[in-house]
Amino acid sequence: MAWRDIESTMKKAAQTQPKAGSTSSALFSIARLSALAGLIVAAVAVPAATAATMTTREVTKDVMELPLTLEDVPNPQTTELFASNGDRLAYFYEENRQDIPLDEIAPVMQDAIISIEDYRFYEHGALDLQGTLRALVNNAGGGGTQGGSTLTQQLVKLTTLQQATTAEQRAAAVETTAARKVRELKLAINFEEKYTKDEILERYLNIAYFGSGAYGVNAAAQRYFSVSPAELTAGQAALIAGLVQNPVQFDPRVYPERALQRRNTVLAVMAQRGKISADEATQLSEEPLGLNETEFANGCYGSVAAFSCDYIQRLLLEEPALGDTRDERLRQLQRGGLTIKSNIDIGMQNAANAAASDHVDPTDQAIGALAMIEPGTGKVRALAQSRPMGDNAEAGQSYLNYTVPKQWGDANGFQAGSTFKMFTVAAALRKGIPVTKSYNSPQNMTMPAGSYFTCEGNGVGPWPLANSTGAGTFNMYTGTRQSVNTYFSQLERDAGLCETVSMAEAMGIQVPDQDKVGPFTLGATDVSPLDLAAAYAVPASGGMYCKPQPIDEILDRQGNVVKKYEPECDRVLTDEEAAQINDILRGVQEPGGFGYQTAGLSIPSAAKTGTTNDTMSVTYAGYTPELATAAMIAGANQQGQPHDLRGVVIKGRVPGGIASGSGLAGPMWGQAMRAIQGQLAPVDFAPPPRRQPANRPPPRPAEEAPQPDDGGDDD
């Protein structure tokens, strides 16, 4: 048909339609058809610049600012986060979409969308004259609204909307005007010249919205039926294809009867077009929808590793490899289709989750938290806490991540008690103090002013302190294993406060100036379980401090490596110093040690308990040569503000007048570690330069013997 005949043909077609109203109404409809025909001719026959000029009077400024050519910009893609074994942990997206090639989409799915949306797709160009004229005539004659857009035109509209950069441009991209249709026709012609029909169909199936947050057929197949697009059946394909017209109205989860009717309509059309037999269409129409849904939670909420995921997400938003600004990095995370391979071990994560929830309830006025890290690499294996992620405070939910430093989780951390004595031992060994070093350690004493000096040479005032584990003469082994405060006040004095603080900082502990005081050895500094686990991984590794590393690598949508994370480690201790610390701390896990009954393992391990003097928090930090874990239980209200653990109901019971590291945190640590100790090699620590001195102090009275609650072993 020649273009000059279009208007005449449309007039004749309109005149043959039943009259919906008066003669003037019919004439008006003919006039509208004539005008639209003129626009169609203009859109197809004139250059882009001329088309823009012709439509200026009817189009808004925002439409005119939309380009007459579309950039070849990839669709927004879903980013996926995986555990170390390949299990998916989370999705991040603006639009849940994973593009796939046409040959990975079942032919019946292709047939379904073409049958219901544009059955002459492979026969016409950008404009289907038969379909357009039929729709225009039907609409003008009062036969109801009928669409005439080809798949190419729909693809142009969807692409224009996606590439709009302002709210005004997005509105202009969908406004009901002839000017917009003209522009879409011109762009559709460009598409047909640039791409093959198969390429256009592939683009359409990947960009179309199918409801319930599913963009593209890949996400739709997974969302509604939990299958890949290649596995779709005719009935499933018909339901998905039918959603394009109105994803809300035909949502099978909300309006199953409407969705069923729409699916059956698509099946009937497919049979009419010869894509399936009439008998098959009839049989399939009698079947239920057969939904088998998959949820695509956006972000970390609901993930089995919610707070590990949260930590990773925050790190990614500061990752320079993803962009120069936070907005650029967020855009990459939500639209870039990245693959984030993490170091999270799903077995360890599940064990940590179970231990936290089994020992502290979400609504308790206390928090249980664990962090697991691999010595020698810094790989973060698990982070878990007793308060689930969410905003339902009545259910104990929280978005505060108590397992990581404040900059990555918004929680301040808690004092870790006598676990800090490990830093004093390390500083003493570095200074050459032998493990035989003994002090008379009375029940109460005051360290006089001038006993301690900061690295700046500033002295600190007097420090009165007391023991809760007995008095006597102790060496480095017995003083550590029994956590004798007055022994450590003297050891810190001789090792040097500056040297002790510096050792802690070298192991990743951030120490504010106000905490650089005598009681530092008793855990005066707030710390996260992750930082404490990383510090205890130092002796476990043979002396290497490794920065916590939860991410293994980032891949782009093509599978190219964006960044590969390598261990960032520094030697802090010599092999001999590390071996000596391991030998001292393993006594806590052996008969007579505070952790033997509640946290002992069947493989070699070492640990240290911690309890604050005000019993705000209790800690258990321990390790094997392959895994370091810090477990902490802290008193805190629903806003995360700390308070005394004494008298607080924890998991349905009150711990008593004394809350302790071995009595509360130890069992939680032990449950998590025993659950995964089968994954760990039963290798022993390297032999120390010096074994425990033979001249042990006389036995203490029975009432002073180590108890499961280790008596509040620090300041």
Side-chain angles (χ1 to χ4, degrees):
M1 181 182 293
W3 289 111
R4 62 177 176 272
D5 297 327
I6 292 178
E7 292 187 66
S8 174
T9 301
M10 293 175 68
K11 290 177 183 178
K12 292 178 181 178
Q15 290 170 348
T16 64
Q17 297 295 306
K19 294 184 179 180
S22 63
T23 301
S24 60
S25 174
L27 291 174
F28 177 71
S29 296
I30 293 172
R32 286 181 61 222
L33 290 175
S34 299
L36 288 172
L39 287 173
I40 292 172
V41 173
V44 176
V46 303
T50 306
T53 302
M54 290 174 62
T55 59
T56 299
R57 285 179 297 177
E58 336 183 3
V59 74
T60 66
K61 177 177 180 291
D62 296 300
V63 171
M64 293 306 298
E65 288 180 351
L66 292 170
L68 280 172
T69 58
L70 292 176
E71 297 181 41
D72 195 6
V73 178
N75 292 328
Q77 302 289 302
T78 299
T79 289
E80 297 177 278
L81 171 65
F82 294 94
S84 59
N85 69 342
D87 285 1
R88 187 183 292 106
L89 297 178
Y91 301 94
F92 302 100
Y93 57 83
E94 279 186 5
E95 298 177 356
N96 180 29
R97 175 189 288 110
Q98 309 91 28
D99 285 355
I100 55 171
L102 191 64
D103 61 11
E104 293 182 16
I105 302 172
V108 72
M109 181 68 233
Q110 301 175 41
D111 291 340
I113 202 73
I114 291 173
S115 295
I116 196 64
E117 290 297 318
D118 185 3
Y119 77 94
R120 297 184 63 253
F121 173 67
Y122 281 101
E123 300 172 22
H124 59 68
L127 175 66
D128 180 9
L129 287 178
Q130 290 184 22
T132 300
L133 294 178
R134 183 174 59 253
L136 289 172
V137 169
N138 182 75
N139 297 342
T145 302
Q146 180 176 328
S149 295
T150 65
L151 281 183
T152 307
Q153 289 173 273
Q154 293 181 45
L155 174 60
V156 165
K157 179 179 179 179
L158 293 171
T159 305
T160 302
L161 181 62
Q162 182 177 281
Q163 294 186 9
T165 57
T166 66
E168 291 77 12
Q169 286 185 355
R170 284 189 286 273
V174 296
E175 67 181 4
T176 307
T177 63
R180 178 182 64 79
K181 296 297 293 184
V182 167
R183 179 178 177 276
E184 285 181 3
L185 281 171
K186 187 64 181 176
L187 290 171
I189 292 171
N190 293 341
F191 261 63
E192 291 274 352
E193 292 175 349
K194 187 174 181 180
Y195 303 108
T196 67
K197 285 289 189 178
D198 282 353
E199 288 172 333
I200 290 172
L201 179 59
E202 177 183 301
R203 284 171 172 260
Y204 179 83
L205 285 169
N206 279 313
I207 199 174
Y209 181 55
F210 293 96
S212 297
Y215 290 82
V217 69
N218 192 2
Q222 295 287 347
R223 179 68 183 86
Y224 296 114
F225 300 107
S226 299
V227 299
S228 71
E231 300 172 299
L232 288 169
T233 65
Q236 293 169 342
L239 183 140
I240 292 173
L243 292 171
V244 170
Q245 185 184 86
N246 193 322
V248 176
Q249 181 179 344
F250 299 125
D251 187 336
R253 301 170 311 111
V254 182
Y255 306 110
E257 292 183 359
R258 295 180 189 174
L260 187 67
Q261 292 173 357
R262 178 63 177 167
R263 182 204 65 179
N264 292 347
T265 297
V266 177
L267 289 170
V269 172
M270 291 176 69
Q272 182 182 351
R273 306 302 177 200
K275 301 304 180 182
I276 58 175
S277 69
D279 288 344
E280 184 178 7
T282 300
Q283 179 183 348
L284 291 173
S285 295
E286 295 174 353
E287 295 182 358
L289 293 176
L291 298 181
N292 180 22
E293 299 179 58
T294 294
E295 295 289 341
F296 289 85
N298 189 1
C300 300
Y301 177 80
S303 171
V304 68
F307 287 100
S308 297
C309 169
D310 178 73
Y311 175 43
I312 290 170
Q313 181 180 13
R314 291 175 185 244
L315 288 173
L316 290 171
L317 293 178
E318 299 298 326
E319 174 53 66
L322 298 184
D324 294 332
T325 67
R326 191 181 187 281
D327 286 345
E328 290 177 5
R329 296 187 285 268
L330 179 61
R331 183 178 177 85
Q332 268 290 85
L333 184 63
Q334 294 183 334
R335 298 170 62 93
L338 305 174
T339 296
I340 312 297
K341 296 182 179 181
S342 80
N343 291 321
I344 302 302
D345 181 291
I346 201 67
M348 295 179 184
Q349 181 66 61
N350 287 332
N353 289 347
S357 62
D358 286 351
H359 287 270
V360 185
D361 282 331
T363 55
D364 287 345
Q365 293 300 295
I367 297 162
L370 298 99
M372 295 179 170
I373 197 165
E374 184 176 278
T377 65
K379 291 181 179 180
V380 178
R381 292 310 198 182
L383 300 172
Q385 65 184 50
S386 58
R387 290 184 180 173
M389 180 175 287
D391 55 11
N392 187 346
E394 291 184 0
Q397 295 179 349
S398 174
Y399 282 104
L400 293 176
N401 190 342
Y402 293 97
T403 65
V404 296
K406 184 175 183 178
Q407 69 182 113
W408 306 119
D410 300 323
N412 290 323
F414 299 93
Q415 291 184 0
S418 283
T419 58
F420 272 40
K421 288 173 180 173
M422 187 268 286
F423 305 132
T424 310
V425 170
L429 294 174
R430 172 61 51 83
K431 198 162 186 178
I433 298 175
V435 296
T436 56
K437 181 65 175 179
S438 299
Y439 300 105
N440 177 32
S441 306
Q443 187 70 28
N444 298 277
M445 68 183 300
T446 297
M447 300 300 293
S451 297
Y452 308 99
F453 292 88
T454 66
C455 293
E456 293 73 32
N458 300 320
V460 300
W463 171 27
L465 70 155
N467 290 333
S468 56
T469 54
T473 300
F474 300 89
N475 58 43
M476 202 177 295
Y477 269 83
T478 57
T480 302
R481 290 180 177 182
Q482 296 173 30
S483 202
V484 181
N485 293 341
T486 56
Y487 177 87
F488 270 88
S489 67
Q490 298 172 82
L491 184 63
E492 183 186 44
R493 176 198 61 201
D494 292 349
L497 173 61
C498 171
E499 288 77 4
T500 301
V501 170
S502 297
M503 184 61 73
E505 291 176 330
M507 295 188 190
I509 305 299
Q510 298 182 17
V511 184
D513 288 342
Q514 67 267 21
D515 292 344
K516 297 175 181 179
V517 292
F520 177 79
T521 189
L522 305 186
T525 296
D526 288 338
V527 65
S528 69
L530 179 62
D531 278 349
L532 191 62
Y536 269 71
V538 174
S541 70
M544 302 297 293
Y545 169 74
C546 299
K547 179 181 176 182
Q549 205 76 274
I551 307 170
D552 178 44
E553 65 178 350
I554 304 172
L555 307 178
D556 65 16
R557 69 176 70 193
Q558 286 80 34
N560 301 313
V561 176
V562 175
K563 181 168 182 178
K564 175 69 176 178
Y565 291 80
E566 302 295 341
E568 297 181 30
C569 303
D570 295 306
R571 179 159 290 282
V572 176
L573 302 173
T574 66
D575 289 335
E576 293 76 13
E577 290 165 348
Q580 194 70 70
I581 293 172
N582 296 336
D583 200 56
I584 292 171
L585 295 185
R586 71 184 301 164
V588 175
Q589 298 289 89
E590 296 173 344
F594 291 142
Y596 177 68
Q597 295 295 330
T598 60
L601 305 180
S602 61
I603 59 176
S605 62
K608 183 69 187 76
T609 60
T611 307
T612 60
N613 188 53
D614 53 12
T615 60
M616 293 283 194
S617 58
V618 294
T619 307
Y620 204 92
Y623 54 90
T624 75
E626 293 184 323
L627 186 68
T629 298
M632 181 179 291
I633 295 178
N637 61 21
Q638 292 303 316
Q639 289 72 46
Q641 298 165 333
H643 60 71
D644 196 333
L645 281 168
R646 287 172 295 189
V648 172
V649 176
I650 300 177
K651 202 65 181 181
R653 64 184 179 88
V654 179
I658 298 177
S660 67
S662 60
L664 281 180
M668 185 169 70
W669 184 97
Q671 178 180 331
M673 290 294 286
R674 282 192 292 269
I676 52 92
Q677 65 180 330
Q679 296 179 233
L680 307 174
V683 296
D684 205 351
F685 298 108
R690 178 69 186 268
R691 295 290 184 180
Q692 180 172 345
N695 54 333
R696 300 183 180 182
R700 293 177 294 161
E703 65 271 15
E704 294 180 359
Q707 301 298 318
D709 65 2
D710 84 0
D713 52 299
D714 44 311
D715 179 64

PDB file of all heavy atoms in Angstrom, residues 477-501:
ATOM      1  N   TYR A 477      51.752 -18.297  83.101  1.00  0.00           N
ATOM      2  CA  TYR A 477      50.793 -19.354  82.791  1.00  0.00           C
ATOM      3  C   TYR A 477      49.624 -19.332  83.764  1.00  0.00           C
ATOM      4  O   TYR A 477      48.458 -19.237  83.363  1.00  0.00           O
ATOM      5  CB  TYR A 477      51.476 -20.724  82.850  1.00  0.00           C
ATOM      6  CG  TYR A 477      52.065 -21.190  81.536  1.00  0.00           C
ATOM      7  CD1 TYR A 477      53.323 -20.769  81.125  1.00  0.00           C
ATOM      8  CD2 TYR A 477      51.367 -22.071  80.722  1.00  0.00           C
ATOM      9  CE1 TYR A 477      53.880 -21.210  79.932  1.00  0.00           C
ATOM     10  CE2 TYR A 477      51.905 -22.527  79.522  1.00  0.00           C
ATOM     11  CZ  TYR A 477      53.161 -22.097  79.132  1.00  0.00           C
ATOM     12  OH  TYR A 477      53.691 -22.534  77.942  1.00  0.00           O
ATOM     13  N   THR A 478      49.914 -19.436  85.030  1.00  0.00           N
ATOM     14  CA  THR A 478      48.841 -19.541  86.024  1.00  0.00           C
ATOM     15  C   THR A 478      48.081 -18.230  86.180  1.00  0.00           C
ATOM     16  O   THR A 478      46.864 -18.226  86.373  1.00  0.00           O
ATOM     17  CB  THR A 478      49.405 -19.982  87.374  1.00  0.00           C
ATOM     18  OG1 THR A 478      50.431 -19.044  87.794  1.00  0.00           O
ATOM     19  CG2 THR A 478      50.012 -21.373  87.282  1.00  0.00           C
ATOM     20  N   GLY A 479      48.791 -17.124  86.078  1.00  0.00           N
ATOM     21  CA  GLY A 479      48.124 -15.829  86.193  1.00  0.00           C
ATOM     22  C   GLY A 479      47.154 -15.587  85.053  1.00  0.00           C
ATOM     23  O   GLY A 479      46.084 -14.985  85.245  1.00  0.00           O
ATOM     24  N   THR A 480      47.519 -16.095  83.845  1.00  0.00           N
ATOM     25  CA  THR A 480      46.628 -15.924  82.692  1.00  0.00           C
ATOM     26  C   THR A 480      45.458 -16.894  82.764  1.00  0.00           C
ATOM     27  O   THR A 480      44.304 -16.508  82.565  1.00  0.00           O
ATOM     28  CB  THR A 480      47.403 -16.137  81.384  1.00  0.00           C
ATOM     29  OG1 THR A 480      48.496 -15.227  81.320  1.00  0.00           O
ATOM     30  CG2 THR A 480      46.497 -15.926  80.184  1.00  0.00           C
ATOM     31  N   ARG A 481      45.762 -18.134  83.035  1.00  0.00           N
ATOM     32  CA  ARG A 481      44.705 -19.143  83.030  1.00  0.00           C
ATOM     33  C   ARG A 481      43.680 -18.892  84.121  1.00  0.00           C
ATOM     34  O   ARG A 481      42.496 -19.190  83.956  1.00  0.00           O
ATOM     35  CB  ARG A 481      45.317 -20.529  83.187  1.00  0.00           C
ATOM     36  CG  ARG A 481      46.101 -20.959  81.941  1.00  0.00           C
ATOM     37  CD  ARG A 481      46.713 -22.341  82.094  1.00  0.00           C
ATOM     38  NE  ARG A 481      47.390 -22.746  80.870  1.00  0.00           N
ATOM     39  CZ  ARG A 481      47.995 -23.924  80.701  1.00  0.00           C
ATOM     40  NH1 ARG A 481      47.999 -24.798  81.704  1.00  0.00           N
ATOM     41  NH2 ARG A 481      48.578 -24.219  79.566  1.00  0.00           N
ATOM     42  N   GLN A 482      44.104 -18.309  85.236  1.00  0.00           N
ATOM     43  CA  GLN A 482      43.177 -18.008  86.326  1.00  0.00           C
ATOM     44  C   GLN A 482      42.727 -16.552  86.302  1.00  0.00           C
ATOM     45  O   GLN A 482      41.969 -16.111  87.168  1.00  0.00           O
ATOM     46  CB  GLN A 482      43.830 -18.363  87.667  1.00  0.00           C
ATOM     47  CG  GLN A 482      44.110 -19.855  87.782  1.00  0.00           C
ATOM     48  CD  GLN A 482      44.902 -20.220  89.022  1.00  0.00           C
ATOM     49  OE1 GLN A 482      44.796 -19.555  90.057  1.00  0.00           O
ATOM     50  NE2 GLN A 482      45.705 -21.265  88.927  1.00  0.00           N
ATOM     51  N   SER A 483      43.198 -15.829  85.297  1.00  0.00           N
ATOM     52  CA  SER A 483      42.762 -14.456  85.060  1.00  0.00           C
ATOM     53  C   SER A 483      42.882 -13.595  86.316  1.00  0.00           C
ATOM     54  O   SER A 483      41.928 -12.971  86.774  1.00  0.00           O
ATOM     55  CB  SER A 483      41.322 -14.436  84.542  1.00  0.00           C
ATOM     56  OG  SER A 483      41.056 -13.240  83.849  1.00  0.00           O
ATOM     57  N   VAL A 484      44.087 -13.526  86.868  1.00  0.00           N
ATOM     58  CA  VAL A 484      44.335 -12.807  88.117  1.00  0.00           C
ATOM     59  C   VAL A 484      44.613 -11.334  87.812  1.00  0.00           C
ATOM     60  O   VAL A 484      45.631 -10.987  87.219  1.00  0.00           O
ATOM     61  CB  VAL A 484      45.516 -13.434  88.873  1.00  0.00           C
ATOM     62  CG1 VAL A 484      45.748 -12.701  90.189  1.00  0.00           C
ATOM     63  CG2 VAL A 484      45.268 -14.920  89.120  1.00  0.00           C
ATOM     64  N   ASN A 485      43.715 -10.477  88.233  1.00  0.00           N
ATOM     65  CA  ASN A 485      43.830  -9.051  87.910  1.00  0.00           C
ATOM     66  C   ASN A 485      45.097  -8.424  88.478  1.00  0.00           C
ATOM     67  O   ASN A 485      45.783  -7.655  87.798  1.00  0.00           O
ATOM     68  CB  ASN A 485      42.605  -8.294  88.427  1.00  0.00           C
ATOM     69  CG  ASN A 485      41.337  -8.681  87.701  1.00  0.00           C
ATOM     70  OD1 ASN A 485      41.377  -9.236  86.609  1.00  0.00           O
ATOM     71  ND2 ASN A 485      40.199  -8.383  88.312  1.00  0.00           N
ATOM     72  N   THR A 486      45.393  -8.714  89.745  1.00  0.00           N
ATOM     73  CA  THR A 486      46.555  -8.065  90.360  1.00  0.00           C
ATOM     74  C   THR A 486      47.864  -8.590  89.788  1.00  0.00           C
ATOM     75  O   THR A 486      48.891  -7.900  89.852  1.00  0.00           O
ATOM     76  CB  THR A 486      46.523  -8.252  91.892  1.00  0.00           C
ATOM     77  OG1 THR A 486      46.460  -9.650  92.209  1.00  0.00           O
ATOM     78  CG2 THR A 486      45.313  -7.543  92.491  1.00  0.00           C
ATOM     79  N   TYR A 487      47.861  -9.783  89.231  1.00  0.00           N
ATOM     80  CA  TYR A 487      49.044 -10.252  88.500  1.00  0.00           C
ATOM     81  C   TYR A 487      49.221  -9.400  87.243  1.00  0.00           C
ATOM     82  O   TYR A 487      50.323  -8.935  86.933  1.00  0.00           O
ATOM     83  CB  TYR A 487      48.909 -11.733  88.127  1.00  0.00           C
ATOM     84  CG  TYR A 487      50.081 -12.225  87.297  1.00  0.00           C
ATOM     85  CD1 TYR A 487      51.233 -12.704  87.906  1.00  0.00           C
ATOM     86  CD2 TYR A 487      50.049 -12.178  85.900  1.00  0.00           C
ATOM     87  CE1 TYR A 487      52.320 -13.129  87.156  1.00  0.00           C
ATOM     88  CE2 TYR A 487      51.123 -12.600  85.139  1.00  0.00           C
ATOM     89  CZ  TYR A 487      52.260 -13.075  85.768  1.00  0.00           C
ATOM     90  OH  TYR A 487      53.343 -13.490  85.021  1.00  0.00           O
ATOM     91  N   PHE A 488      48.141  -9.160  86.517  1.00  0.00           N
ATOM     92  CA  PHE A 488      48.252  -8.452  85.242  1.00  0.00           C
ATOM     93  C   PHE A 488      48.492  -6.962  85.415  1.00  0.00           C
ATOM     94  O   PHE A 488      49.058  -6.324  84.521  1.00  0.00           O
ATOM     95  CB  PHE A 488      47.015  -8.734  84.372  1.00  0.00           C
ATOM     96  CG  PHE A 488      47.215  -9.941  83.504  1.00  0.00           C
ATOM     97  CD1 PHE A 488      46.896 -11.202  83.982  1.00  0.00           C
ATOM     98  CD2 PHE A 488      47.777  -9.829  82.255  1.00  0.00           C
ATOM     99  CE1 PHE A 488      47.128 -12.325  83.219  1.00  0.00           C
ATOM    100  CE2 PHE A 488      48.004 -10.938  81.474  1.00  0.00           C
ATOM    101  CZ  PHE A 488      47.689 -12.205  81.953  1.00  0.00           C
ATOM    102  N   SER A 489      48.067  -6.393  86.507  1.00  0.00           N
ATOM    103  CA  SER A 489      48.389  -4.982  86.728  1.00  0.00           C
ATOM    104  C   SER A 489      49.905  -4.803  86.826  1.00  0.00           C
ATOM    105  O   SER A 489      50.466  -3.802  86.350  1.00  0.00           O
ATOM    106  CB  SER A 489      47.695  -4.474  87.994  1.00  0.00           C
ATOM    107  OG  SER A 489      48.221  -5.107  89.158  1.00  0.00           O
ATOM    108  N   GLN A 490      50.577  -5.775  87.418  1.00  0.00           N
ATOM    109  CA  GLN A 490      52.030  -5.704  87.557  1.00  0.00           C
ATOM    110  C   GLN A 490      52.736  -6.094  86.254  1.00  0.00           C
ATOM    111  O   GLN A 490      53.750  -5.496  85.883  1.00  0.00           O
ATOM    112  CB  GLN A 490      52.478  -6.620  88.706  1.00  0.00           C
ATOM    113  CG  GLN A 490      51.900  -6.195  90.061  1.00  0.00           C
ATOM    114  CD  GLN A 490      52.186  -7.198  91.160  1.00  0.00           C
ATOM    115  OE1 GLN A 490      53.288  -7.186  91.736  1.00  0.00           O
ATOM    116  NE2 GLN A 490      51.215  -8.069  91.456  1.00  0.00           N
ATOM    117  N   LEU A 491      52.185  -7.091  85.546  1.00  0.00           N
ATOM    118  CA  LEU A 491      52.794  -7.487  84.278  1.00  0.00           C
ATOM    119  C   LEU A 491      52.692  -6.352  83.262  1.00  0.00           C
ATOM    120  O   LEU A 491      53.644  -6.091  82.512  1.00  0.00           O
ATOM    121  CB  LEU A 491      52.106  -8.748  83.742  1.00  0.00           C
ATOM    122  CG  LEU A 491      52.716  -9.337  82.465  1.00  0.00           C
ATOM    123  CD1 LEU A 491      54.146  -9.804  82.714  1.00  0.00           C
ATOM    124  CD2 LEU A 491      51.850 -10.494  81.943  1.00  0.00           C
ATOM    125  N   GLU A 492      51.548  -5.656  83.238  1.00  0.00           N
ATOM    126  CA  GLU A 492      51.384  -4.529  82.322  1.00  0.00           C
ATOM    127  C   GLU A 492      52.357  -3.408  82.678  1.00  0.00           C
ATOM    128  O   GLU A 492      52.915  -2.758  81.781  1.00  0.00           O
ATOM    129  CB  GLU A 492      49.949  -4.014  82.365  1.00  0.00           C
ATOM    130  CG  GLU A 492      49.677  -2.864  81.382  1.00  0.00           C
ATOM    131  CD  GLU A 492      48.287  -2.291  81.546  1.00  0.00           C
ATOM    132  OE1 GLU A 492      47.862  -2.078  82.710  1.00  0.00           O
ATOM    133  OE2 GLU A 492      47.627  -2.046  80.528  1.00  0.00           O
ATOM    134  N   ARG A 493      52.573  -3.190  83.952  1.00  0.00           N
ATOM    135  CA  ARG A 493      53.539  -2.170  84.377  1.00  0.00           C
ATOM    136  C   ARG A 493      54.926  -2.476  83.822  1.00  0.00           C
ATOM    137  O   ARG A 493      55.590  -1.591  83.261  1.00  0.00           O
ATOM    138  CB  ARG A 493      53.578  -2.120  85.899  1.00  0.00           C
ATOM    139  CG  ARG A 493      54.614  -1.157  86.490  1.00  0.00           C
ATOM    140  CD  ARG A 493      54.867  -1.503  87.950  1.00  0.00           C
ATOM    141  NE  ARG A 493      55.401  -2.873  88.081  1.00  0.00           N
ATOM    142  CZ  ARG A 493      55.344  -3.583  89.214  1.00  0.00           C
ATOM    143  NH1 ARG A 493      54.762  -3.090  90.297  1.00  0.00           N
ATOM    144  NH2 ARG A 493      55.845  -4.808  89.253  1.00  0.00           N
ATOM    145  N   ASP A 494      55.366  -3.737  83.932  1.00  0.00           N
ATOM    146  CA  ASP A 494      56.706  -4.093  83.489  1.00  0.00           C
ATOM    147  C   ASP A 494      56.796  -4.202  81.965  1.00  0.00           C
ATOM    148  O   ASP A 494      57.834  -3.896  81.380  1.00  0.00           O
ATOM    149  CB  ASP A 494      57.135  -5.413  84.137  1.00  0.00           C
ATOM    150  CG  ASP A 494      57.330  -5.270  85.642  1.00  0.00           C
ATOM    151  OD1 ASP A 494      57.337  -4.124  86.142  1.00  0.00           O
ATOM    152  OD2 ASP A 494      57.460  -6.314  86.321  1.00  0.00           O
ATOM    153  N   ALA A 495      55.719  -4.645  81.342  1.00  0.00           N
ATOM    154  CA  ALA A 495      55.719  -4.706  79.869  1.00  0.00           C
ATOM    155  C   ALA A 495      55.610  -3.306  79.274  1.00  0.00           C
ATOM    156  O   ALA A 495      56.140  -3.040  78.194  1.00  0.00           O
ATOM    157  CB  ALA A 495      54.562  -5.574  79.388  1.00  0.00           C
ATOM    158  N   GLY A 496      54.911  -2.397  80.001  1.00  0.00           N
ATOM    159  CA  GLY A 496      54.720  -1.028  79.531  1.00  0.00           C
ATOM    160  C   GLY A 496      53.328  -0.820  78.983  1.00  0.00           C
ATOM    161  O   GLY A 496      52.852  -1.603  78.136  1.00  0.00           O
ATOM    162  N   LEU A 497      52.652   0.204  79.491  1.00  0.00           N
ATOM    163  CA  LEU A 497      51.313   0.522  78.987  1.00  0.00           C
ATOM    164  C   LEU A 497      51.368   0.864  77.507  1.00  0.00           C
ATOM    165  O   LEU A 497      50.542   0.401  76.714  1.00  0.00           O
ATOM    166  CB  LEU A 497      50.712   1.687  79.779  1.00  0.00           C
ATOM    167  CG  LEU A 497      49.376   2.236  79.252  1.00  0.00           C
ATOM    168  CD1 LEU A 497      48.303   1.164  79.267  1.00  0.00           C
ATOM    169  CD2 LEU A 497      48.940   3.453  80.066  1.00  0.00           C
ATOM    170  N   CYS A 498      52.357   1.688  77.131  1.00  0.00           N
ATOM    171  CA  CYS A 498      52.494   2.060  75.718  1.00  0.00           C
ATOM    172  C   CYS A 498      52.647   0.822  74.856  1.00  0.00           C
ATOM    173  O   CYS A 498      51.987   0.671  73.824  1.00  0.00           O
ATOM    174  CB  CYS A 498      53.694   2.983  75.540  1.00  0.00           C
ATOM    175  SG  CYS A 498      54.113   3.307  73.801  1.00  0.00           S
ATOM    176  N   GLU A 499      53.514  -0.116  75.279  1.00  0.00           N
ATOM    177  CA  GLU A 499      53.773  -1.315  74.497  1.00  0.00           C
ATOM    178  C   GLU A 499      52.540  -2.222  74.437  1.00  0.00           C
ATOM    179  O   GLU A 499      52.255  -2.845  73.400  1.00  0.00           O
ATOM    180  CB  GLU A 499      54.956  -2.083  75.105  1.00  0.00           C
ATOM    181  CG  GLU A 499      56.314  -1.427  74.901  1.00  0.00           C
ATOM    182  CD  GLU A 499      56.556  -0.246  75.840  1.00  0.00           C
ATOM    183  OE1 GLU A 499      55.686   0.029  76.713  1.00  0.00           O
ATOM    184  OE2 GLU A 499      57.616   0.397  75.713  1.00  0.00           O
ATOM    185  N   THR A 500      51.788  -2.272  75.535  1.00  0.00           N
ATOM    186  CA  THR A 500      50.586  -3.115  75.560  1.00  0.00           C
ATOM    187  C   THR A 500      49.511  -2.555  74.630  1.00  0.00           C
ATOM    188  O   THR A 500      48.895  -3.292  73.851  1.00  0.00           O
ATOM    189  CB  THR A 500      50.039  -3.218  76.994  1.00  0.00           C
ATOM    190  OG1 THR A 500      51.057  -3.784  77.839  1.00  0.00           O
ATOM    191  CG2 THR A 500      48.800  -4.090  77.046  1.00  0.00           C
ATOM    192  N   VAL A 501      49.275  -1.248  74.706  1.00  0.00           N
ATOM    193  CA  VAL A 501      48.293  -0.618  73.820  1.00  0.00           C
ATOM    194  C   VAL A 501      48.732  -0.755  72.372  1.00  0.00           C
ATOM    195  O   VAL A 501      47.919  -1.065  71.478  1.00  0.00           O
ATOM    196  CB  VAL A 501      48.094   0.863  74.196  1.00  0.00           C
ATOM    197  CG1 VAL A 501      47.261   1.578  73.136  1.00  0.00           C
ATOM    198  CG2 VAL A 501      47.417   0.980  75.560  1.00  0.00           C
TER     199      VAL A 501
END
